Amino acid sequence: MPEGKAATELLTVGEVARRVGIATSAVRFYESEGLISAVRTSGNQRRYPRHTLRRLSIVVFAKRLGIPLNEVAEVFKPLPSDRMPGKRDWARISARWSDLLSERRDQIERLRKELEGCIGCGCLSLGTCKALNPADALALDGAGPQRLLHED
């Protein structure tokens, strides 16, 4: 941090975007979705508290992991908007996402195993291949990768 800048300094939309690695339009979008909040200067310019950087970093990372934005917004609702969330606040988020993240990890592991099998089989094991779907029988179970979604 440059000398003389206070830790409570408000940041411009450009500074926030640069620090988090997203577009300024994304910062404004996340504000419109209620994930972050800004104050307005006398010239009506947005300024963001420094703790916005942490919130947006969580949003960006959650998005990378495939957590829907509405789930992030739901988890962020009880967080204070006027200060940096505390340890208990973050612990609540962690507990809420724990099962979701475990399930995603299991799905990724199943996909990894399936892909390893496909690469190694060369389609010689047609009797056990999970990619096969004769007569489109799995369409009755719904859209998507039914065998991977419901494998025990």
Side-chain angles (χ1 to χ4, degrees):
M1 177 182 334
E3 193 173 318
K5 288 199 175 188
T8 57
E9 175 190 12
L10 296 174
L11 306 170
T12 67
V13 66
E15 290 171 319
V16 170
R18 181 183 54 77
R19 293 279 306 273
V20 179
I22 59 177
T24 56
S25 59
V27 176
R28 289 188 290 272
F29 172 75
Y30 293 136
E31 181 183 354
S32 74
E33 293 294 307
L35 295 169
I36 59 172
S37 60
V39 296
R40 295 289 184 153
T41 67
S42 58
N44 204 30
Q45 295 176 328
R46 289 177 171 97
R47 292 292 187 266
Y48 297 90
R50 197 164 284 285
H51 65 80
T52 300
L53 298 174
R54 173 151 307 152
R55 280 179 180 247
L56 286 178
S57 294
I58 297 288
V59 170
V60 168
F61 200 69
K63 184 179 167 186
R64 247 185 233 157
L65 294 176
I67 297 172
L69 197 56
N70 63 344
E71 171 66 15
V72 177
E74 187 65 32
V75 172
F76 275 18
K77 270 185 191 175
L79 292 180
S81 61
D82 61 339
R83 65 170 172 80
M84 171 69 86
K87 186 176 182 176
R88 279 188 230 158
D89 297 316
W90 293 120
R92 271 195 308 273
I93 289 175
S94 176
R96 184 164 179 175
W97 278 347
S98 182
D99 290 341
L100 174 69
L101 294 175
S102 292
E103 183 179 326
R104 293 229 166 142
R105 185 182 56 236
D106 294 345
Q107 290 171 347
I108 289 168
E109 182 62 23
R110 282 196 308 266
L111 179 59
R112 184 189 64 75
K113 287 178 181 177
E114 184 63 29
L115 290 174
E116 284 177 352
C118 286
I119 291 168
C121 84
C123 290
L124 297 176
S125 56
L126 296 178
T128 60
C129 181
K130 293 188 186 212
L132 289 178
N133 183 13
D136 200 22
L138 293 174
L140 298 174
D141 294 335
Q146 292 300 313
R147 286 189 176 126
L148 289 173
L149 289 172
H150 304 293
E151 183 176 56
D152 293 328

